Amino acid sequence: MPNLNQHAPLRFITAGSVDDGKSTLIGRLLYDSKALLGDQLQQIEATSANGNPDFSALTDGLEAEREQGITIDVAYRYFSTARRKYIIADTPGHEQYTRNMVTGASTAHAAVLLLDAAQLDYSQTPLQLLPQTKRHSAILHHLRCPHIIVAINKMDLLDYDEDKYRAITAAYDALAQQLGLANVHYIPVSALNGDNIVHASQHTPWYTGGSLLATLEALPVGESVSDAPAAFHFPVQNVLRADGSKQDDFRGYQGRIEAGSVRVGDRIRVEPAGQKSSVREIIGLNGSVATAGVGENITLRLADDIDISRGDTLLAATNAAENRRELRATLCWFDQRPLNPARKYLLKHTTRTVAAKIRQIEHIWDVHTLSNYADRDTLNMNDLGEVSIVLQQPVAASSYAENPATGAFILIDDASNQTVAAGMIVA
């Protein structure tokens, strides 16, 4: 696990079912941590009814969201405390907008998963969690989100009952064990009243852990969702040519380093062609530099004149990554139309887009039981499944476990140009 980096902002999402209180929790977090500006405070005061501020107004910005009382789009908010900076993604809880939750979770260091304690049926043994809780937990598992904070919300409606809190933690422990989730934290909260959001609550003397903010402040943050491999990996986004005013032979390759580092003189390999060269110059945001590392946006110049275009990948000559034309991947299906192996799809991986065919659906997960469907042969909207894919042209990819940046992709319907799925490469 990466060491705590106080200078790196913590990116976290809120997830959960509809009306669990995600937007209210974020509003309360910003309000109690004194991270709101004057006009935002006025907005909160203007929405107060009977002395109860509408904290969700801070994040539910779309008119349709306010009318329906639900979050539709991913709302990003930025704030800081004395310890660190934060980027919050408030994601939708409605099943129809699961695709937006996947978008927000794909770059998160942590997830605050809300459970509405008042919605559960405590007469059931064992206690059953809501399907959307299971679906979001499964997605967080496949996205390899490093930390899950289970915020058990609306404890005020249960008179802060410790036994019911323990029943929920036991139910989620069983789910986490089934999925293989590690680093799970539990906090009893009331987003509306502010219990255990920023300050410890007097209503839960039986809870000895930290508040939500204290827990977030203590989480470690690395350079990415998982430790990236050391070998240099650089998808080419753009080819920069001379404009005639300076060097007529100037040709630079622009992009973001997705893994490893590079220095002037390093030997590199160009995929999919397999040609080799060496680094002549590295140009950063402020001019030429000797080295550059993962996450940096740079322009590379090579010692040899090679035919390179957008979608090609520059790798360290020693990088063991291979061109792949067959992939096994986990898909989260976004489209209202089910997956149809007869349709033409495009696979977009980093900066490369290639034609793809779904060769076989290996299995589909039932979010209610977290087992495989026995009678299903297609993916419907919001389904999670594992598939094998054949590509018309190869891509330089890794598994998602090795590096999320080079192990993720999206599928696009060739006819409608709609994004129909997000994928994580398994093998």
Side-chain angles (χ1 to χ4, degrees):
M1 182 59 62
N3 293 326
L4 180 64
N5 183 352
Q6 299 292 1
H7 299 290
L10 178 76
R11 301 177 64 98
F12 71 93
I13 70 162
T14 57
S17 300
V18 175
D19 293 332
D20 278 353
K22 298 179 294 298
S23 299
T24 299
L25 179 137
I26 291 179
R28 172 62 79 171
L29 178 63
L30 297 174
Y31 184 80
D32 285 358
S33 60
K34 303 187 186 315
L36 296 178
L37 300 176
D39 59 338
Q40 293 173 316
L41 288 172
Q42 291 176 1
Q43 181 183 2
I44 285 287
E45 293 171 356
T47 60
S48 297
N50 299 323
N52 295 319
D54 180 9
F55 292 109
S56 66
L58 288 170
T59 55
D60 289 341
L62 299 178
E63 182 177 355
E65 293 177 324
R66 294 192 295 269
E67 289 175 349
Q68 299 179 55
I70 62 173
T71 299
I72 295 175
D73 201 0
V74 181
Y76 291 95
R77 290 294 180 268
Y78 307 85
F79 80 105
S80 62
T81 65
R83 274 182 67 85
R84 66 165 21 142
K85 297 178 180 178
Y86 301 89
I87 302 174
I88 314 171
D90 182 23
T91 65
H94 197 285
E95 180 180 345
Q96 180 180 350
Y97 304 108
T98 298
R99 60 188 180 275
N100 292 342
M101 179 268 175
V102 174
T103 301
S106 62
T107 58
H109 302 113
V112 179
L113 183 65
L114 267 73
L115 274 68
D116 185 344
Q119 282 194 43
L120 302 178
D121 183 359
Y122 295 93
S123 66
Q124 295 178 325
T125 305
L127 182 66
Q128 296 298 308
L129 301 174
L130 297 178
Q132 193 71 332
T133 299
K134 296 180 180 180
R135 178 181 285 106
H136 284 177
S137 297
I139 290 171
L140 292 171
H141 162 67
H142 287 296
L143 290 173
R144 299 178 63 82
C145 185
H147 299 278
I148 311 293
I149 300 173
V150 180
I152 300 173
N153 193 24
K154 304 185 183 179
M155 288 297 298
D156 54 310
L157 300 181
L158 300 178
D159 295 325
Y160 304 94
D161 190 316
E162 181 182 2
D163 291 338
K164 292 179 179 177
Y165 168 78
R166 300 297 176 194
I168 296 173
T169 59
Y172 197 88
D173 272 339
L175 174 64
Q177 185 174 3
Q178 189 175 0
L179 289 173
L181 291 172
N183 301 315
V184 179
H185 312 262
Y186 298 99
I187 307 175
V189 304
S190 169
L192 185 62
N193 297 331
D195 293 287
N196 292 321
I197 303 298
V198 171
H199 309 291
S201 172
Q202 296 180 351
H203 296 113
T204 56
W206 39 265
Y207 172 69
T208 57
S211 67
L212 174 62
L213 182 60
T215 303
L216 291 169
E217 287 185 331
L219 292 182
V221 176
E223 292 176 331
S224 63
V225 176
S226 67
D227 294 328
F232 177 63
H233 193 121
F234 181 78
V236 177
Q237 294 182 10
N238 183 45
V239 178
L240 187 65
R241 298 299 304 274
D243 60 4
S245 59
K246 294 183 180 180
Q247 299 165 278
D248 289 336
D249 64 342
F250 183 94
R251 180 180 295 184
Y253 307 105
Q254 297 179 312
R256 181 181 186 272
I257 301 176
E258 299 295 359
S261 60
V262 65
R263 66 177 58 245
V264 174
D266 281 356
R267 294 290 295 171
I268 60 96
R269 186 173 85 247
V270 182
E271 296 292 357
Q275 297 167 293
K276 294 185 178 181
S277 183
S278 60
V279 177
R280 175 181 173 184
E281 183 181 13
I282 305 170
I283 304 174
L285 297 178
N286 299 310
S288 295
V289 295
T291 63
V294 62
E296 292 189 58
N297 294 292
I298 60 170
T299 301
L300 283 183
R301 298 182 65 203
L302 303 182
D304 301 286
D305 188 9
I306 299 176
D307 183 14
I308 299 174
S309 59
R310 174 182 168 83
D312 290 341
T313 303
L314 306 185
L315 302 172
T318 55
N319 192 326
E322 299 178 356
N323 284 323
R324 303 167 185 248
R325 292 190 63 175
E326 297 185 10
L327 303 175
R328 190 182 179 98
T330 299
L331 284 186
C332 181
W333 195 255
F334 295 163
D335 200 21
Q336 292 182 348
R337 290 179 298 185
L339 184 153
N340 182 355
R343 291 185 70 84
K344 294 182 179 180
Y345 296 108
L346 299 175
L347 182 143
K348 181 173 176 55
H349 171 264
T350 61
T351 61
R352 188 169 179 80
T353 302
V354 299
K357 180 176 178 59
I358 308 299
R359 182 169 63 183
Q360 184 175 350
I361 299 175
E362 306 293 345
H363 55 261
I364 305 168
W365 288 287
D366 182 341
V367 297
H368 297 276
T369 64
L370 297 181
S371 60
N372 296 337
Y373 282 107
D375 58 349
R376 292 269 304 278
D377 58 359
T378 189
L379 292 174
N380 296 321
M381 188 171 70
N382 299 317
D383 274 345
L384 285 170
E386 193 165 297
V387 302
S388 57
I389 305 174
V390 179
L391 307 179
Q392 189 177 68
Q393 297 175 318
V395 296
S398 66
S399 71
Y400 192 86
E402 292 172 331
N403 187 352
T406 57
F409 62 88
I410 60 172
L411 280 184
I412 302 168
D413 188 298
D414 186 40
S416 66
N417 205 34
Q418 296 294 315
T419 300
V420 296
M424 290 76 72
I425 297 172
V426 176

